[in-house]
């Protein structure tokens, strides 16, 4: 890695200056939330706390957590801290498990969002000369418009393809000279697969950067993307509850994601006790928004498992990093007493040559015990080969998974194009367990 300057000037601020800024902003946002959000004020008063109790960054740990259930319980606007007359944008989750989560933005919030997304793109080495295809869904989902506004703030050319219509996406990618794409990693793999079917060599396209988020993905997936398309994949992190995409992003060192901690203050807590853990310890990421007006979040429990990396990054940026998030507290499967994460299975599968990045994890009950079946696509070469080759590959894959998670699984090799593709977030786990 060269000493090339990447990112914005704010990404290089001195740590003492940053901490002073964070404390000033923390005091202000706690006061703003206390004065304008009844739920937060009541919880503070139950703990005999007032905004005046914040005299250091460490005092943040005194404050109550905010959970996703709070956002549903006070649907739609019960956690807003500004009048609706000041709210210029609403976004919402899909609401597939009940009431959607609704978030709001003032004009200043929209400008903040565009700025952190601009900084994210700069961190990937992009500039005004780039053509960025935004293949996240537009609409109530935050991904599409967040990347769109960030591209315009960067001064680059935005191509708002949104999701779906894959053939058109590929045509646009070729004809418009797209140099970067924003989408879910699973959808990019689908695009790459379709390109290969149409005899499009993605190595020969101007496309050089992929910015992938909205679902966990592994370093094994990164290597597969690089080999099949020649792009440089970057992991971007965000949550609608915090702002959308643009909370943190990788730099070209690909050694963790720099969090824009001048706006989003991170803590790591023990998922069970809520105790704050030191930098370097793995636990649940908790984020406090320092500058959001309409929808401030104080100590929001993300359920994402990671750690804070405080050691200096070779890129020179002074913002701390979070480790790549490959799993969530609520993604964890407990199978016969063993904790298993989908990301572990993905890493094991992609470590074996011949597998494709398309798989399902099927949970089922047999003889009163929970079990795992993994259905994974294999390349045409292997699937059409002699039976002995298939058996050897099956044993290798089953062995790789058992070595990784400590459990034997039922492994099924399926032909290419068997696993249903997704144009948004991939559904990896299918739970067929009998819970009666």
């Amino acid at each position: 890695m060269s000493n090339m300057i990447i990112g914005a000037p704010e990404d290089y601020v001195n740590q003492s200056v940053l901490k002073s800024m964070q404390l000033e902003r923390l005091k202000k946002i706690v006061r703003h939330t206390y004065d304008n959000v009844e739920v937060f004020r009541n919880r503070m008063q139950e703990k005999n706390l007032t905004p005046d109790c914040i005299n250091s960054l460490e005092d943040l740990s005194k404050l109550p957590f905010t959970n996703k259930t709070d956002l549903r319980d006070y649907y739609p606007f019960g956690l807003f801290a500004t009048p609706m007359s000041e709210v210029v944008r609403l976004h919402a989750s899909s609401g597939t498990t009940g009431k959607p989560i609704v978030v709001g933005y003032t004009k200043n919030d929209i400008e903040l969002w565009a700025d952190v997304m601009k900084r994210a793109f700069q961190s990937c080495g992009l500039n005004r000369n780039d053509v960025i295809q935004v293949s996240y869904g537009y609409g109530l989902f935050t991904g599409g418009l967040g990347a769109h506004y960030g591209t315009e703030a960067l001064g680059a050319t935005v191509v708002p393809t949104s999701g779906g219509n894959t053939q058109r996406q590929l045509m646009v990618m070729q004809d418009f000279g797209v140099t970067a794409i924003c989408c879910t990693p699973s959808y990019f793999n689908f695009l790459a697969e379709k390109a290969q079917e149409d005899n499009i060599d993605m190595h020969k396209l101007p496309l050089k950067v992929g910015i992938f988020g909205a679902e966990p993905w592994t370093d094994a997936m990164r290597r597969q993307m690089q080999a099949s398309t020649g792009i440089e994949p970057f992991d971007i992190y965000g949550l609608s509850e915090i702002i959308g995409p643009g909370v943190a992003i990788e730099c070209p060192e690909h050694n963790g994601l720099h969090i824009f901690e001048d706006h989003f203050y991170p803590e790591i807590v023990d998922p069970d006790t809520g105790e704050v853990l030191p930098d370097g310890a793995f636990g649940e990421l908790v984020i406090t928004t320092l500058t959001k007006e309409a929808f401030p979040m104080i100590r929001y429990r993300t359920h994402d498992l990671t750690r804070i990396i405080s050691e200096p990054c070779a890129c020179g940026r002074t913002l701390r990093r979070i480790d790549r998030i490959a799993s969530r507290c609520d993604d964890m499967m407990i199978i016969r007493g063993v904790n298993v994460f989908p990301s572990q299975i993905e890493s094991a599968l992609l470590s074996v040559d011949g597998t494709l990045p398309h798989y399902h994890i099927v949970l089922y009950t047999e003889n009163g015990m929970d079990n795992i079946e993994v259905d994974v696509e294999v390349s045409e070469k292997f699937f059409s080969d002699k039976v002995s080759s298939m058996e050897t590959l099956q044993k290798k894959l089953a062995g790789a998974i058992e070595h990784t998670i400590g459990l034997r699984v039922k492994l099924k090799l399926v032909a290419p194009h068997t696993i249903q593709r997704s144009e948004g977030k991939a559904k990896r786990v299918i739970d067929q367990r009998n819970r009666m």
Side-chain angles (χ1 to χ4, degrees), residues 105-387:
Y105 302 78
T106 64
K107 182 175 182 293
N108 288 337
D109 292 336
I110 292 292
E111 291 175 356
L112 161 64
W113 193 11
D115 183 61
V116 292
M117 280 302 298
K118 170 187 174 182
R119 288 165 64 179
F121 289 140
Q122 289 174 319
S123 301
C124 303
L126 301 178
N127 57 50
R128 63 180 296 110
N129 298 315
D130 283 291
V131 179
I132 303 176
Q133 183 169 330
V134 179
S135 298
Y136 287 120
Y138 281 61
L140 289 176
F141 174 61
T142 55
L145 285 170
H148 183 113
Y149 276 67
T151 302
E152 291 184 341
L154 181 66
T157 302
V158 62
V159 184
T161 50
S162 189
N165 204 337
T166 300
Q167 295 299 136
R168 185 180 179 88
Q169 298 258 6
L170 290 170
M171 180 190 73
V172 164
M173 188 183 296
Q174 295 175 90
D175 296 348
F176 292 8
V178 169
T179 58
I181 186 169
C182 303
C183 61
T184 63
S186 54
Y187 186 55
F188 181 76
N189 280 322
F190 185 39
L191 282 170
E193 182 181 61
K194 287 295 184 184
Q196 185 177 34
E197 290 176 9
D198 294 347
N199 295 315
I200 300 170
D201 186 351
M202 296 187 76
H203 289 85
K204 295 181 179 179
L205 299 181
L207 187 68
K208 60 183 180 181
V209 165
I211 300 169
F212 304 125
E215 62 187 22
W217 54 292
T218 61
D219 280 327
M221 182 77 78
R222 181 204 303 281
R223 291 189 292 271
Q224 192 276 336
M225 289 175 178
Q226 289 174 314
S228 63
T229 66
I231 67 161
E232 183 176 6
F234 288 82
D235 194 359
I236 190 169
Y237 176 73
L239 307 89
S240 297
E241 303 94 304
I242 300 302
I243 200 166
V247 174
I249 192 159
E250 287 184 315
C251 69
E253 295 295 328
H254 300 291
N255 185 23
L257 290 79
H258 292 272
I259 188 165
F260 297 117
E261 55 178 325
D262 48 331
H263 295 291
F264 314 111
Y265 190 82
E267 299 173 274
I268 299 294
V269 304
D270 183 300
D272 297 321
T273 67
E275 177 191 0
V276 177
L277 302 176
D279 287 1
F282 275 94
E284 180 183 351
L285 177 64
V286 172
I287 298 177
T288 296
T289 60
L290 298 177
T291 51
K292 286 270 297 299
E293 294 178 339
F295 194 69
M297 283 284 99
I298 306 296
R299 304 199 79 200
Y300 181 73
R301 299 192 67 156
T302 68
H303 294 293
D304 291 320
L305 298 173
T306 185
R307 66 186 177 109
I308 292 175
I309 306 170
S310 55
E311 293 80 16
C313 182
C315 77
R317 297 163 76 208
T318 54
L319 298 172
R320 288 181 297 171
R321 290 161 286 155
I322 54 174
D323 220 343
R324 293 196 65 209
I325 294 166
S327 56
R328 295 172 48 83
C329 304
D330 46 8
D331 276 348
M332 187 175 73
M333 305 170 287
I334 303 177
I335 308 296
R336 302 198 295 277
V338 177
N339 297 342
V340 179
F341 291 97
S343 57
Q344 293 175 296
I345 293 176
E346 179 180 296
S347 294
L349 290 174
L350 294 180
S351 69
V352 178
D353 183 45
T355 55
L356 299 175
H358 308 293
Y359 63 92
H360 276 157
I361 300 167
V362 182
L363 308 180
Y364 67 99
T365 304
E366 186 174 71
N367 298 324
M369 296 183 66
D370 289 345
N371 290 277
I372 301 176
E373 176 184 305
V374 179
D375 301 339
V376 58
E377 289 186 13
V378 296
S379 64
E380 197 73 55
K381 176 176 87 69
F382 277 92
F383 203 78
S384 59
D385 210 342
K386 55 188 179 183
V387 174

